Amino acid sequence: MYKVEAIIREEKLQEVKAALQAIEVNGITVSQVMGCGAQGGYKETVRGTEIDINLIPKIKFDIAVSSEEWKDKTIEAISRAANTGEIGDGKIFSYKLEDVMRIRTRETGVAALN
Ligand SMILES: Nc1ncnc2c1ncn2[C@@H]1O[C@H](COP(=O)(O)OP(=O)(O)OP(=O)(O)O)[C@@H](O)[C@H]1O
Ligand SMILES: [Mg+2]
């Protein structure tokens, strides 16, 4: 199992969500977060205006998937949908996920994801 964590532009929320629905991921968590990358938050444009504060509102997606194949599909879908080519497009982190439990049934591991 893998965990995919993507930080994207606020205005890409719907597009990324649609791209994930299109590949039929089994669950997503979305959060409103603040962050900055290599530019320290400076020189990023938010809704057409260049802003000069150093923490910029972003959207974070957390997705747990059952296999390496699904991890790759998920990253591909997010990276295509979130790309504008401008600085501040975001980052995708992925790592091995040790376990998950579906609370209702107490299933664990891949069975809890599918
Ligand atoms: N090393 C990091 N660790 C944790 N979060 C990060 C890191 N880099 C970027 N982020 C998060 O991703 C968001 C978007 O980052 P951003 O796209 O600006 O990265 P970047 O490395 O500066 O790339 P670019 O040059 O394309 O802007 C940040 O606002 C922050 O929330
Ligand atoms: Mg940046």
Side-chain angles (χ1 to χ4, degrees):
M1 294 180 292
Y2 290 85
K3 179 75 175 295
V4 177
E5 190 181 307
I7 319 278
I8 61 148
R9 294 180 188 281
E10 280 189 310
E11 60 267 35
K12 286 289 191 176
L13 168 61
Q14 293 306 329
E15 256 176 275
V16 170
K17 186 167 140 268
L20 290 168
Q21 281 167 344
I23 62 166
E24 297 180 331
V25 295
N26 280 327
I28 60 175
T29 300
V30 179
S31 318
Q32 294 182 297
V33 295
M34 305 277 281
C36 65
Q39 292 79 20
Y42 291 88
K43 301 196 181 94
E44 265 193 53
T45 306
V46 174
R47 290 181 217 92
T49 318
E50 195 165 288
I51 64 167
D52 63 352
I53 53 170
N54 55 19
L55 286 174
I56 292 171
K58 297 281 175 181
I59 295 292
K60 178 161 78 109
F61 279 83
D62 281 287
I63 304 138
V65 297
S66 55
S67 65
E68 189 172 2
E69 186 191 334
W70 273 101
K71 177 195 67 154
D72 294 342
K73 266 173 87 169
T74 302
I75 291 173
E76 185 63 18
I78 295 171
S79 58
R80 286 188 180 281
N83 183 277
T84 70
E86 301 296 319
I87 61 172
D89 273 354
K91 280 203 172 78
I92 304 173
F93 305 92
S94 60
Y95 39 91
K96 287 202 167 142
L97 178 64
E98 200 165 284
D99 208 357
V100 47
M101 179 190 266
R102 175 177 280 129
I103 294 173
R104 174 174 59 86
T105 57
R106 300 192 65 82
E107 292 163 291
T108 57
V110 172
L113 290 178
N114 295 329

